[in-house]
Amino acid sequence: RTPDSLSDRQRRCQPAPRPHSPPPTPARLSSPPSLGRPRSARSRLSPAGTKMSSIMQYNGAAIIAMAGKDCIAIASDKRYGIRNQTMGCQMKKIFQVGDKTFVGLTGLATDMQTLDQKFRFRSNMYRLREEREMSTEAFANMVTSLLYEHRFGPYFCEPIVAGLGGEDGKSPFLCGMDLLGAQVRTEDFMVGGDCTEALYGLCESMYRPDLGPDELFEVIAQCLLSGVDRDCLAGWGCVVHVLTPEGVTTRDLKGRMD
């Protein structure tokens, strides 16, 4: 046998070459099937299985501001909670900025404290620069400007500004805003917080124009105490500030503790 014949036989016994095939594509990872509820339903539920509320209702709040005859009153509840869990009952939600200006804050508690510090800083800078107190109208415009500056990453708070303004310093001024600083001005009352529907209905039924300081206190206190009874995220007592040209009167009221 010649080497040429052996090589021919070996070539005949070898398998034919396979056609070129593309490299295998990696397997696409598939998400594991959700157990129980569909994924869309699970994302809308909290770990406890209840539907999650808005971030504005995370800590709970209820605030009312009313205008009387040459006086205003502003009241808030005292509850501090994390959703349905009550953590304390002495939370401050109304802040006095000037002699004749109050601001009430509803929403996220951490943003409320941050805005209080910023309001005080800008008010003090205005006093040093202008050598006079900031009027209630100017303070409301400053709050609007501050909130609108952070419109792309807003503070989760809805302020209510109440005070005495005008040329004589005796005209009631009420102004409410959303978290972007859009103003709503009224001449009778302003409500904010979680149970606004209940508060608004009570204020509409009980409010009368040109109330004196004592009558205004009675009306706003009854509206707030009755309104927070219909909401589990606010209550546990309330505080009422009555502002007159002569000064400020503050009263703490007891409420339901359940």
Side-chain angles (χ1 to χ4, degrees), residues 35 67 121 212 231 235 237:
L35 302 178
F121 172 76
D231 181 32

Side-chain angles (χ1 to χ4, degrees), residues 231-252:
D231 181 32
C232 63
L233 300 179
W236 289 60
C238 66
V239 57
V240 182
H241 304 277
V242 180
L243 176 63
T244 62
E246 290 76 23
V248 181
T249 302
T250 302
R251 296 183 178 95
D252 293 314

Side-chain angles (χ1 to χ4, degrees), residues 14-124:
Q14 290 179 353
R18 296 181 180 179
H20 177 73
S21 59
T25 57
R28 184 172 298 177
L29 298 177
S30 60
S31 59
S34 60
L35 302 178
R37 303 186 184 90
R39 180 172 295 272
S40 59
R42 290 169 65 91
S43 62
R44 293 194 301 266
L45 298 178
S46 65
T50 58
K51 189 174 181 180
M52 294 183 64
S53 59
S54 170
I55 190 65
M56 301 296 293
Q57 300 176 350
Y58 185 77
N59 298 118
I63 292 181
I64 303 177
M66 280 188 179
K69 185 177 181 181
D70 297 336
C71 62
I72 63 100
I74 183 169
S76 76
D77 69 313
K78 295 182 178 182
R79 179 184 181 272
Y80 167 66
I82 298 178
R83 291 197 179 97
N84 294 334
Q85 182 181 5
T86 301
M87 308 299 294
C89 55
Q90 292 295 330
M91 184 176 178
K92 186 178 181 181
K93 303 176 184 178
I94 299 176
F95 308 92
Q96 185 174 5
V97 182
D99 295 337
K100 297 182 178 181
T101 304
F102 283 90
V103 57
L105 299 176
T106 65
L108 194 62
T110 53
D111 287 350
M112 291 165 55
Q113 296 173 355
T114 301
L115 286 178
D116 173 47
Q117 295 175 1
K118 289 182 175 292
F119 293 162
R120 292 183 184 278
F121 172 76
R122 294 201 177 189
S123 178
N124 293 335

Side-chain angles (χ1 to χ4, degrees), residues 213-227:
D214 296 335
E215 296 175 330
L216 188 63
F217 165 75
E218 292 290 341
V219 171
I220 196 172
Q222 291 298 326
C223 290
L224 185 63
L225 290 176
S226 300

Side-chain angles (χ1 to χ4, degrees), residues 124-203:
N124 293 335
M125 292 298 296
Y126 182 93
R127 188 183 301 109
L128 292 174
R129 184 174 59 250
E130 301 291 335
E131 296 183 353
R132 59 190 174 95
E133 290 288 339
M134 183 184 294
S135 64
T136 307
E137 294 86 352
F139 178 77
N141 294 331
M142 183 270 292
V143 173
T144 296
S145 176
L146 176 61
L147 294 177
Y148 192 71
E149 285 177 5
H150 299 81
R151 60 190 179 276
F152 298 112
Y155 294 106
F156 296 109
C157 282
E158 294 180 347
I160 294 180
V161 180
L164 297 177
E167 297 180 356
D168 55 354
K170 297 182 180 179
S171 301
F173 177 87
L174 301 179
C175 178
M177 308 170 199
D178 62 358
L179 72 169
L180 296 183
Q183 291 189 4
V184 176
R185 300 189 180 187
T186 62
E187 297 180 354
D188 43 12
F189 58 86
M190 181 78 62
V191 299
D194 304 324
C195 50
T196 53
E197 295 85 359
L199 295 175
Y200 193 83
L202 288 166
C203 291

